[in-house]
Amino acid sequence: MSLLRIRNIARSYEMGAETVHALRGVSADIEKGEYVAIMGPSGSGKSTLMNLLGCLDSPTSGSYELNGTDVSSLDENALSDIRNREIGFVFQTFNLLPRVSALRNVELPLIYAGIPRDERREAARVALEQVNLSDRMEHRPNEMSGGQRQRVAIARALVNQPSILLADEPTGNLDSTTGTEILGLFHSLWKKGHTIIVVTHEEEVALNARRILRIRDGLLASDEIVK
Amino acid sequence: MKLWHEIMENLRIALESVRTNKLRSFLATLGIVIGVFTATLMATAITGLGKAFENSISAIGSDVIYIQRFNWGPSEKWWKVRARRPISLVQARRLAERVAPPATVSYESGMGGTVKYLDRTASNVIIMGNVAASAEVRGLSVQEGRFLSEAEVDGERPVCVLGHDLAERLFPYESGLGAWVKVNDRRYQVVGTLEKMGEFIFANLDFQVIIPVTRMIADFTREPDLTIAVKTGDAAALDEVQEELRWIMRTVRGIDPGEEDDFSVNNQNALLDMFGKFTAVIGTAGLSMTGLALLVGGIGIMNVMFVSVTERTREIGVRKALGAKRRAILSQFLMEAAVICLLGGVAALALAWPVTLVMQKWLPATISPSIAMIALAVSAATGLIAGFLPAWRAARLNPVDALRSE
């Protein structure tokens, strides 16, 4: 059984009197341990797809099974639980809480999972070690470089041991050297067995993945295995 | 357990947020501070007044009925009351003869004056004309010597009993028993002193001198207006005895059937009623003022919380993406509002405390633990109510939109 299975998934928005079809029906299966890039120009619907895959949004039609659970019709609270357990988000702008330390940032998902404080601390520490930031645990985001911030964000995404690491333009706000470094980190995480989905419009970033889904006009344009 | 973690975490977030927005939080909570401050002082003052009043009323006695020309409380028309005949010694004596035990009758008169001993002078002294039974009726306890005797009252003897403070003023080093003092320039011999009675609203009863009422009439007032005080000996029978006394008094005063009473029969219930009304008025006024201040304060908090939610829309999005449920976001912002208000409440108590210390000069006023607890509870509740709408809005944000916001 696939880790992630979408069937004819579609999403439309009401904009005043008009209905915008952001996603018109996409089907795909992603197996555990895959490294997938979702590509497409802006307006193609790739962000919509990412929001659906990340359980931030529900499809207008179609089905989505994640780890054997049909999540397409769950209510908001249930989706919160799914996000908390199954998905680790990495954002283009890092989205760390500015006023708290790296450690506290990484702890956040565990707080919402209801993990006791000591356990939380320990797990957050381990996650930060995984991204080579053991010496920056007490630093606040504004005391760190962009690369370091993104690594904190990755540690935060990993701390709950999710099924999928979902990254949205993870190198978009980084210079190319740091970007390469982050992609290297993704690569090593994939080697360790993590399932990674990267949403990007950059060919170079996508080429790090083993499979590329191309989205155009709300439809799946191609699904190819690279390397 | 999970909820507990969330609450602790939200408390921490709330404190962080307040710390980073010190000035804004302070301004937002100002209304709460003012509201809770006035409410606390009001409550403290009212309980203080109540205590002082209780002290004073205990001097009146719960089972004592007073027959006087004047009425306690505001009911009767003052011009009618003024036209009444005074209560004379003869009337008082006749009434006393007709009252059966266990009731005890005292009749008395009071005036102000000066008491002197050698070169020591005490002015603003309450001079009371009493009878032997007055000690029991008025609840006076003799410390040294004895109270007035019946023979002394009947014989208009120039003897006196000194109140505790007055005795200390005139005789700081020696016992005053047997000494001759001058009461308004008439000579009286001291036969006893009283135990300390404590402070009262109406008068300092420790600064009184008691002389036979008969002697008072002979020396100072030709036409006295007496107060007759009857201790019923049974507080439960107050109403019956009161009615009986009224009829006796009517007979004694020679009032024809059908005519109105030209005297009043009073007891402490009249005063209690009056005081109750008085505190109710103050309380209502204070409560509405406080309510208004809290309303304004609450609106301020709501405003600040809306700003806070708008400012942190993206943070809310991130938290939701990481698995925060609606409840978690709701409680985060509710907690923040409650913490801000609670700090306001603490500040208000800190401000009110020194003010009550000043108030203690006049009233036995203290901020009781229960008043403090209520003040803090009201503050927190205001925060929860005012914060609800903003917190609800935050909780209902769509994670996709929230994450997109700048």
Side-chain angles (χ1 to χ4, degrees):
Chain A
M1 192 183 61
S2 310
L3 172 65
L4 185 155
R5 175 188 155 98
I6 50 176
R7 283 294 172 273
N8 214 14
I9 200 171
R11 181 70 167 98
S12 53
Y13 302 95
E14 306 292 328
M15 296 281 231
E18 257 181 281
T19 305
V20 178
H21 298 279
L23 214 58
R24 292 162 188 274
V26 174
S27 301
D29 290 80
I30 294 174
E31 306 298 325
K32 190 174 181 326
E34 274 198 273
Y35 187 171
V36 181
I38 297 174
M39 281 208 70
S42 59
S44 60
K46 69 175 192 301
S47 293
T48 306
L49 181 58
M50 191 209 70
N51 288 339
L52 290 174
L53 292 182
C55 296
L56 291 166
D57 197 4
S58 298
T60 341
S61 66
S63 74
Y64 174 18
E65 268 176 42
L66 177 59
N67 235 347
T69 317
D70 180 8
V71 296
S72 47
S73 56
L74 293 178
D75 69 7
E76 212 198 293
N77 274 336
L79 285 179
S80 294
D81 266 342
I82 298 282
R83 289 196 293 268
N84 188 252
R85 277 205 314 269
E86 307 282 1
I87 296 160
F89 286 97
V90 177
F91 302 96
Q92 177 174 1
T93 51
F94 324 133
N95 277 342
L96 300 175
L97 301 192
R99 292 190 288 258
V100 300
S101 68
L103 197 66
R104 294 261 291 129
N105 262 296
V106 176
E107 262 185 81
L108 264 182
L110 299 175
I111 288 166
Y112 294 122
I115 309 286
R117 191 187 157 103
D118 291 340
E119 245 176 89
R120 232 157 62 193
R121 278 278 136 100
E122 192 44 42
R125 199 166 281 133
V126 169
L128 280 167
E129 273 161 16
Q130 255 185 296
V131 297
N132 297 323
L133 278 179
S134 22
D135 53 338
R136 290 283 186 280
M137 294 196 191
E138 294 305 327
H139 286 57
R140 288 178 179 202
N142 59 6
E143 296 162 334
M144 290 188 275
S145 69
Q148 286 171 336
R149 284 184 218 185
Q150 194 59 301
R151 281 192 281 156
V152 173
I154 292 168
R156 183 177 67 184
L158 291 174
V159 75
N160 247 6
Q161 288 156 339
S163 308
I164 307 167
L165 196 62
L166 190 58
D168 180 16
E169 305 279 8
T171 58
N173 273 27
L174 301 172
D175 60 63
S176 59
T177 324
T178 323
T180 311
E181 188 191 307
I182 293 297
L183 290 175
L185 182 56
F186 277 146
H187 190 83
S188 68
L189 288 172
W190 171 64
K191 285 271 185 206
K192 282 184 203 160
H194 288 276
T195 311
I196 299 174
I197 301 175
V198 176
V199 177
T200 184
H201 66 276
E202 285 177 76
E203 202 71 32
E204 286 167 63
V205 174
L207 284 174
N208 281 276
R210 289 299 174 272
R211 179 178 168 195
I212 301 178
L213 301 179
R214 289 180 199 276
I215 307 290
R216 194 173 293 273
D217 299 328
L219 290 167
L220 186 60
S222 72
D223 180 352
E224 52 189 304
I225 306 288
V226 288
K227 285 179 198 169
Chain B
M1 203 56 200
K2 198 164 167 173
L3 190 67
W4 174 248
H5 290 303
E6 256 178 46
I7 290 172
M8 288 314 287
E9 172 64 12
N10 286 335
L11 192 64
R12 207 136 39 120
I13 296 167
L15 289 172
E16 266 160 17
S17 167
V18 172
R19 213 181 307 137
T20 40
N21 295 306
K22 280 192 204 77
L23 184 66
R24 192 170 79 185
S25 304
F26 167 73
L27 291 175
T29 198
L30 211 54
I32 305 291
V33 173
I34 294 168
V36 174
F37 176 74
T38 51
T40 307
L41 283 188
M42 197 76 66
T44 308
I46 289 178
T47 51
L49 264 174
K51 253 187 247 169
F53 187 76
E54 245 170 58
N55 283 347
S56 307
I57 212 141
S58 69
I60 295 169
S62 60
D63 61 343
V64 180
I65 295 163
Y66 291 79
I67 302 164
Q68 286 165 303
R69 195 149 73 104
F70 295 106
N71 185 56
W72 295 357
S75 58
E76 287 181 58
K77 297 187 174 74
W78 63 269
W79 60 88
K80 274 191 181 170
V81 172
R82 266 185 70 99
R84 289 172 173 180
R85 290 174 292 159
I87 296 173
S88 70
L89 188 62
V90 178
Q91 288 169 0
R93 278 182 170 153
R94 276 196 196 144
L95 181 128
E97 280 162 16
R98 293 175 189 219
V99 174
T104 321
V105 182
S106 156
Y107 36 97
E108 50 204 48
S109 180
M111 58 187 274
T114 310
V115 181
K116 286 182 189 162
Y117 177 68
L118 302 177
D119 59 341
R120 296 170 201 149
T121 304
S123 43
N124 293 324
V125 177
I126 301 164
I127 304 170
M128 293 295 297
N130 277 10
V131 295
S134 301
E136 194 195 331
V137 176
R138 294 179 63 201
L140 305 173
S141 309
V142 172
Q143 183 168 23
E144 214 185 341
R146 57 174 178 79
F147 199 69
L148 308 175
S149 71
E150 260 177 63
E152 280 163 350
V153 175
D154 290 343
E156 299 177 20
R157 303 301 305 156
V159 290
C160 68
V161 176
L162 302 178
H164 185 270
D165 293 357
L166 181 62
E168 280 198 343
R169 169 76 65 86
L170 296 176
F171 303 100
Y173 314 114
E174 69 274 36
S175 165
L177 291 186
W180 288 84
V181 297
K182 280 186 169 175
V183 177
N184 282 359
D185 291 327
R186 301 286 182 138
R187 281 161 53 82
Y188 285 81
Q189 190 175 26
V190 179
V191 295
T193 62
L194 296 178
E195 277 178 13
K196 193 159 179 65
M197 302 178 74
E199 292 270 338
F200 300 99
I201 285 185
F202 312 117
N204 181 2
L205 291 181
D206 287 317
F207 220 62
Q208 66 176 332
V209 57
I210 299 168
I211 58 177
V213 65
T214 48
R215 183 73 192 188
M216 181 181 234
I217 291 164
D219 275 355
F220 308 114
T221 48
R222 294 272 142 226
E223 245 189 44
D225 178 23
L226 299 181
T227 295
I228 303 171
V230 181
K231 189 180 171 69
T232 61
D234 179 7
L238 203 67
D239 288 340
E240 286 168 42
V241 178
Q242 183 156 331
E243 196 51 26
E244 203 182 316
L245 284 173
R246 197 164 78 84
W247 286 105
I248 298 174
M249 194 62 186
R250 282 178 70 91
T251 320
V252 165
R253 302 265 274 184
I255 301 169
D256 292 333
E259 258 182 79
E260 266 180 58
D261 291 356
D262 66 346
F263 57 90
S264 294
V265 183
N266 301 313
N267 64 49
Q268 68 165 13
N269 293 337
L271 284 187
L272 283 174
D273 280 359
M274 209 166 65
F275 184 73
K277 277 178 199 150
F278 173 67
T279 48
V281 169
I282 297 187
T284 317
L287 213 62
S288 36
M289 256 163 61
T290 307
L292 206 66
L294 286 181
L295 182 71
V296 173
I299 290 170
I301 295 290
M302 198 187 289
N303 207 3
V304 162
M305 291 313 294
F306 269 127
V307 171
S308 186
V309 168
T310 309
E311 229 177 45
R312 285 150 68 188
T313 302
R314 183 183 274 259
E315 177 192 319
I316 294 162
V318 173
R319 287 179 182 276
K320 287 200 157 193
L322 298 182
K325 293 201 175 82
R326 277 183 179 179
R327 188 190 64 205
I329 302 293
L330 185 77
S331 84
Q332 177 188 334
F333 283 93
L334 278 183
M335 196 81 82
E336 187 171 323
V339 163
I340 292 175
C341 289
L342 208 54
L343 290 176
V346 171
L349 286 180
L351 285 175
W353 186 64
V355 178
T356 56
L357 290 187
V358 175
M359 267 165 45
Q360 277 172 8
K361 282 189 174 172
W362 303 282
L363 285 176
T366 45
I367 298 184
S368 67
S370 57
I371 290 182
M373 290 298 291
I374 290 171
L376 293 181
V378 166
S379 314
T382 309
L384 292 179
I385 292 167
F388 187 79
L389 224 53
W392 182 242
R393 184 196 266 187
R396 294 199 46 130
L397 279 173
N398 172 338
V400 176
D401 296 337
L403 276 171
R404 251 206 304 264
S405 91
E406 280 311 311

